[in-house]
């Protein structure tokens, strides 16, 4: 079984070396580690004075500019550099917990399973709410999801994370791969396409990576704005399974958990943070009605909108008039 790992990278720090070492010592060997690095200077600064590329022959690095990066297209380009029967998408801040990560993911890629994603555990510096949300979204028990689960799970049926996810290449090619222009959610869009085509998506609790964030309210706002944009751009996936209900449920569960931990004094902060999340998400869902300047102020990915302008120009739409639909369209 041939496995390649593909990692988009931007401004890597010294933890990148540890990530490579852990991938090179997996029980199911990784043939190649394909690094899609944004802005060459940052990668060169990291490895300057080392013999990194000589010592890690499995690592293949391709450089692109920040203007060229796209969540969907850049990952698809990375896949295009691999001919492995299984490829694993990762992010640079996901750290394998042990040497069986790849083996455990691959074990779930049965004939009708298109992708298998890992459990995410909180880092040592994660706050209490972040710790709870990791356990909420990544429980202790594995599960394989299919179209039959929509009535029970709703939007979470399509949940899948390229923080660490293994894919069958034959199914990926058959389904057309990742969407090429995506501000966010390229993993969920692929999972939805696979499930609608009759395949299943596996959550593998035994495959574990450390990955969490301590975002500020502002960072949550920008991130959730982009999530809302991705959902607005793909109503064929998200209209039938809106995520608002799941979001409210997660906040209620987090508040209940804080009370159980005798940390009820943190609940107002949870609600305040959740307000920023929802405001960003709501604006993102309605971005087509917003002026261009406001959109650029809300997003965390300005480069995406430059690509969006070019795409609209090709389609004959004057992007300078904003993102709303016009009477002539």
């Amino acid at each position: 079984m041939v496995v390649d790992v593909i990692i988009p990278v931007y401004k890597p720090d010294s933890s990148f070396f540890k990530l490579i070492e852990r991938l090179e010592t997996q029980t199911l060997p990784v043939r190649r580690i394909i690094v899609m690095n944004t802005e060459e200077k940052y990668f060169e600064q990291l490895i300057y004075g080392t013999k990194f590329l000589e010592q890690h022959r499995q690592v293949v690095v391709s450089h692109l500019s920040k203007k060229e990066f796209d969540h969907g297209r850049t990952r698809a380009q990375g896949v295009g550099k691999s001919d492995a029967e299984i490829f694993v998408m990762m992010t640079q801040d996901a750290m394998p917990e042990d040497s069986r990560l790849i083996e455990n993911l691959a074990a779930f890629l049965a004939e009708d399973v298109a992708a298998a994603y890992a459990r995410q555990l909180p880092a040592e510096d994660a706050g209490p709410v972040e710790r709870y949300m990791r356990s909420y979204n990544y429980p202790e028990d594995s599960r394989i999801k299919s179209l039959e689960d929509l009535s029970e799970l709703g939007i979470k049926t399509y949940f899948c994370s390229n923080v660490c996810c293994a894919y069958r290449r034959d199914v990926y090619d058959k389904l057309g791969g990742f969407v090429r222009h995506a501000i966010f959610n390229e993993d969920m869009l692929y999972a939805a396409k696979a499930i609608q085509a009759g395949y299943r998506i596996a959550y593998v609790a035994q495959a574990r990576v450390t990955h969490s964030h301590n975002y500020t309210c502002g960072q949550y706002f920008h991130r959730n704005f982009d999530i809302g944009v991705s959902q607005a751009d793909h109503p064929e996936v998200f209209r039938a399974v809106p995520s608002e209900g799941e979001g409210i449920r997660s906040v209620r569960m987090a508040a209940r958990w804080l009370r159980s931990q005798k940390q009820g004094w943190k609940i107002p902060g949870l609600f305040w943070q959740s307000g920023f999340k929802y405001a960003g998400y709501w604006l993102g869902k309605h971005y087509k009605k917003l002026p261009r300047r406001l959109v650029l102020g809300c997003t965390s990915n300005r480069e995406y909108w430059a690509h969006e302008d070019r795409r609209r120009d090709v389609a004959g739409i004057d992007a300078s008039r904003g993102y709303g639909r016009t009477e002539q369209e």
Side-chain angles (χ1 to χ4, degrees):
M1 183 181 297
V2 178
V3 180
D4 288 342
V5 175
I6 301 163
I7 313 174
V9 169
Y10 180 56
K11 293 185 177 181
D13 58 25
S14 58
S15 64
F16 180 76
F17 298 134
K18 183 178 179 181
L19 169 60
I20 297 301
E21 290 171 359
R22 292 202 177 181
L23 289 175
E24 289 179 337
T25 56
Q26 291 290 303
T27 54
L28 178 58
V30 174
R31 182 187 63 174
R32 283 192 298 170
I33 302 171
I34 299 169
V35 175
M36 301 297 292
N37 175 68
T38 300
E39 298 296 345
E40 183 174 1
K41 62 181 179 180
Y42 298 121
F43 192 85
E44 293 301 320
Q45 288 170 3
L46 177 69
I47 67 172
Y48 180 77
T50 73
K51 296 182 179 180
F52 175 79
L53 293 178
E54 296 177 22
Q55 295 171 343
H56 302 277
R57 297 290 185 178
Q58 293 162 281
V59 177
V60 179
V61 183
S62 294
H63 299 290
L64 60 146
S65 69
K66 193 174 181 182
K67 290 182 179 180
E68 293 173 311
F69 176 82
D70 182 277
H71 277 273
R73 183 177 60 254
T74 300
R75 286 177 169 84
Q77 289 172 339
V79 177
K81 298 178 183 297
S82 168
D83 59 0
E85 56 188 307
I86 293 174
F87 66 88
V88 178
M89 300 302 312
M90 292 191 70
T91 56
Q92 69 191 64
D93 57 350
M95 188 63 64
E97 279 282 295
D98 55 41
S99 63
R100 299 176 65 88
L101 172 69
I102 304 300
E103 177 186 349
N104 286 330
L105 288 172
F108 272 73
L109 293 177
E111 185 175 350
D112 64 342
V113 176
Y117 65 99
R119 183 183 184 188
Q120 296 181 29
L121 302 175
E124 291 183 1
D125 64 349
V129 174
E130 178 71 1
R131 286 182 173 276
Y132 173 76
M133 293 309 299
R134 291 293 138 178
S135 66
Y136 178 83
N137 289 316
Y138 303 94
E140 295 181 355
D141 297 324
S142 300
R143 179 162 185 168
I144 300 180
K145 300 175 291 185
S146 70
L147 197 58
E148 297 176 353
D149 294 305
L150 269 176
S151 59
E152 176 192 351
L153 298 178
I155 188 66
K156 295 192 80 170
T157 307
Y158 299 146
F159 185 75
C160 184
S161 178
N162 271 342
V163 164
C164 184
C165 185
Y167 293 84
R168 281 179 47 193
R169 181 58 183 268
D170 58 340
V171 178
Y172 176 90
D173 289 340
K174 181 179 179 180
L175 296 177
F178 299 125
V179 61
R180 296 307 192 268
H181 186 55
I183 192 171
F184 217 82
N185 278 339
E186 81 292 332
D187 38 21
M188 285 186 67
L189 292 171
Y190 178 85
K193 180 165 54 176
I195 286 174
Q196 291 293 339
Y199 293 97
R200 299 190 293 168
I201 300 295
Y203 164 62
V204 187
Q206 304 97 307
R208 300 172 299 157
V209 295
T210 301
H211 178 262
S212 59
H213 296 290
N214 291 315
Y215 287 141
T216 65
C217 288
Q219 289 172 318
Y220 273 123
F221 174 88
H222 294 304
R223 176 183 173 88
N224 279 49
F225 178 85
D226 292 347
I227 291 174
V229 169
S230 73
Q231 294 196 13
D233 281 347
H234 295 277
E236 75 281 2
V237 172
F238 296 104
R239 181 181 292 142
V241 282
S243 58
E244 288 87 344
E246 177 58 31
I248 293 171
R249 181 175 182 270
S250 68
V251 173
R252 286 176 176 170
M253 295 294 289
R256 185 181 303 172
W257 180 82
L258 285 172
R259 282 194 294 268
S260 72
Q261 299 299 305
K262 302 187 185 305
Q263 298 186 59
W265 59 274
K266 293 184 178 180
I267 292 177
L270 168 67
F271 289 160
W272 179 251
Q273 181 189 88
S274 300
F276 275 85
K277 288 181 178 181
Y278 183 73
Y281 170 78
W282 189 90
L283 286 170
K285 286 272 285 189
H286 298 87
Y287 84 92
K288 294 179 182 179
K289 298 179 181 179
L290 302 180
R292 172 187 174 87
R293 184 175 297 178
L294 182 56
V295 168
L296 294 178
C298 291
T299 186
S300 65
N301 186 355
R302 282 176 166 249
E303 286 72 26
Y304 171 85
W305 300 99
H307 294 306
E308 183 73 2
D309 288 347
R310 289 194 290 272
R311 189 177 73 163
R312 286 171 175 265
D313 288 341
V314 169
I317 301 172
D318 183 0
S320 67
R321 292 160 56 195
Y323 293 103
R325 297 184 66 84
T326 68
E327 294 178 357
Q328 288 75 28
E329 291 178 39

